Amino acid sequence: MKIHCLLLSLFLSLFSPAWGKEEFAPEFYAFFNGLPELSHQKEAELLKELGYDGISQIYGRDEGLAERVEVYEKAGLKVLSVYMPATEEPVKPQAVQPLANGGFIELTVKKKSPEIVASLRKTAAMAAELNIKVALYPHFGDDIATMDQALALVEEVNHPNLGVMFNLCHFMRSESIDDLEAAIEKAGPRLFSVSTNGADLDGKDWATLIRSLDQGTFPQERLLNALEKIGYTGPVGLQCYNVPGDKKASLQASIKAWRELTGS
């Protein structure tokens, strides 16, 4: 009997390497820009039906943020983040209070200046009091467009609550895809959040660099493997900017592709 058990164990280890292995399946959120125009209640119902963990990248200082958070919480979902440009005026606590205890502020930096650096430091400190993380969002065409530029600014601001967000489409437009793994490894614990989407390896514009997750020639496994390698435990958002066609169908195709990728 012992020999049989040992042989069975050996067989499983040789031919079923994933047996018992914990899946790498980060929480997955749909960007606000991928949702059809709906009430907060209908938004939450749609994302719940499709299987997303919630919504992210609410534009700016949304006056309806508190209401949206409440509606999503009742549905068992989460409003993850707000998305806005960094300005010389720090983000005020009342603008993001509904995201306390687990939310994110994701900031683009169009023009870097000493005033922006000081503002970011104050925003990071304020958000830390609310248990909200602040992530710089490298954006093509901005002063902070690359991961290296974002990490350098994080170092300059020098606050533990400021990190970076990796965004596949902006990375592919501003940097070499060959450097993806190195960029993620370099970010390490400063990598607070991530976004992805379908993209073509030879893409040159948003139409080819932002597609639904089931499309494009970029192998999503590369990104997931790089994240797993550094022990990433944060969320992943689905970038949907200007994806053509029916928004619900696109969200449905993307979550199906995500489940296939992650085994979730």
Side-chain angles (χ1 to χ4, degrees), residues 29-54:
Y29 293 81
F31 272 24
F32 171 70
N33 60 21
L35 272 289
E37 190 170 336
L38 298 169
S39 67
H40 297 163
Q41 183 66 43
K42 292 296 183 183
E43 274 182 9
E45 289 174 3
L46 175 59
L47 293 179
K48 182 79 170 181
E49 172 194 339
L50 295 177
Y52 287 85
D53 289 297

Side-chain angles (χ1 to χ4, degrees), residues 9 29 48 56 69-70 80 124 137 157 160 189 201 210 212 227 235 262:
S9 177
Y29 293 81
K48 182 79 170 181
S56 63
V69 168
E70 182 179 0
L80 182 71
Y137 184 109
V157 171
L201 285 167
I210 304 177
S212 58
L227 294 174
T262 60

Side-chain angles (χ1 to χ4, degrees), residues 1-15:
M1 178 64 74
K2 288 183 179 180
I3 293 175
H4 289 162
C5 290
L6 286 171
L7 288 173
L8 177 61
S9 177
L10 178 61
F11 176 84
L12 291 174
S13 67
L14 288 173
F15 296 100

Side-chain angles (χ1 to χ4, degrees), residues 104 124 133-138 147 150-166 183-194 227 230-234:
F104 290 76
K133 290 184 176 181
V134 184
L136 298 180
Y137 184 109
M147 290 290 284
L151 288 168
L153 182 51
V154 166
E155 186 174 341
E156 185 175 355
V157 171
N158 191 28
H159 193 287
N161 196 42
L162 182 67
V164 299
M165 182 173 184
F166 176 87
I184 287 175
E185 185 175 4
K186 184 176 179 180
R190 288 293 194 174
L191 185 63
F192 285 2
S193 55
V194 171
L227 294 174
I230 67 165
Y232 179 74
T233 58

Side-chain angles (χ1 to χ4, degrees), residues 206-235:
W206 297 138
T208 51
L209 291 174
I210 304 177
R211 309 181 66 183
S212 58
L213 198 62
D214 61 316
Q215 299 180 9
T217 56
F218 171 76
Q220 295 290 330
E221 294 86 352
R222 273 191 66 184
L223 176 58
L224 291 175
N225 288 339
L227 294 174
E228 186 174 20
K229 185 177 179 181
I230 67 165
Y232 179 74
T233 58

